[in-house]
Amino acid sequence: MVTIGKLENTPVGAIWVAANEEGLVAVSLWDDEQRFIDDVTRLVGEAPDISAAPGPLVTAALAELDAYFRGELHEFTSPIDWSIMRTFQQKALRLVCTVPYGQTTSYGAIAEQLGQPGASRAVGRANATNPIPIIIPCHRILGSDGKLHGYGARGGIETKAQLLRMEGSWLV
């Protein structure tokens, strides 16, 4: 069963979280509940139980996100259900998770770590379709020119810049 929960009033607006028994399956910075339900349904093949209370993994992730936005948490420990992702996306996003708080790297550097130096565009696509932003910190990945390129959440690149500023990144 997939349950959902919502964190209100963060610096980037409301955040939705969904998890099943295995781990987190989705995080959304869009405030549209139906859009989130549709995204979760597409990702896991079943609609979340919106009548159920948030499960323990959702509750824990919401608490971690709240602590993150208060500047008290620099590394997320909520489990992720990696099985909802394709193999390349899993590999790329697992590497994205290793980029420390307040630091950045490039799509090309992730591609090189994967042993596929020509795959920076594919890494960019994996980041663009990251179903669990912030917790999988795709905002820490920059273009080869050191600039911000795309962010698929509400606010776009400005939200990406805001998250990096909040983390104390020297780049923005």
Side-chain angles (χ1 to χ4, degrees), residues 55-78:
L57 295 179
V58 170
T59 302
L62 292 171
E64 282 194 330
L65 285 162
D66 186 50
Y68 168 81
F69 284 112
R70 288 193 320 267
E72 299 169 2
L73 182 100
H74 294 179
E75 188 174 329
F76 292 95
T77 60
S78 291

Side-chain angles (χ1 to χ4, degrees), residues 117-137:
S120 60
R121 291 175 85 86
V123 170
R125 181 72 184 140
N127 273 273
T129 57
N130 173 8
I132 308 171
I134 300 177
I135 292 173
I136 298 176

Side-chain angles (χ1 to χ4, degrees), residues 3 18 22 25 62 64 70 72 74-76 79 84 88-89 98 116-117 123 126 131 135 141 146-147 161 166-168:
T3 64
E22 303 301 316
V25 295
L62 292 171
E64 282 194 330
R70 288 193 320 267
E72 299 169 2
H74 294 179
E75 188 174 329
F76 292 95
I84 65 163
F88 182 85
Q89 185 180 36
T98 68
Q116 299 180 37
V123 170
I135 292 173
I141 312 304
K147 294 183 180 177
M166 187 187 81
E167 292 184 5

Side-chain angles (χ1 to χ4, degrees), residues 77-168:
T77 60
S78 291
I80 294 168
D81 182 355
W82 295 99
S83 72
I84 65 163
M85 299 176 215
R86 294 177 186 222
T87 303
F88 182 85
Q89 185 180 36
Q90 273 186 44
K91 289 178 183 176
L93 294 182
R94 283 179 187 270
L95 287 172
V96 168
C97 284
T98 68
V99 180
Y101 181 94
Q103 295 184 29
T104 60
T105 191
S106 68
Y107 301 107
I110 296 288
E112 285 193 26
Q113 285 181 279
L114 286 167
Q116 299 180 37
S120 60
R121 291 175 85 86
V123 170
R125 181 72 184 140
N127 273 273
T129 57
N130 173 8
I132 308 171
I134 300 177
I135 292 173
I136 298 176
C138 56
H139 60 280
R140 297 178 188 156
I141 312 304
L142 309 175
S144 60
D145 58 2
K147 294 183 180 177
L148 305 179
H149 291 270
Y151 195 64
R154 175 182 53 236
I157 289 177
E158 181 49 41
T159 297
K160 185 173 186 169
Q162 184 178 2
L163 292 169
L164 290 171
R165 282 192 299 269
M166 187 187 81
E167 292 184 5

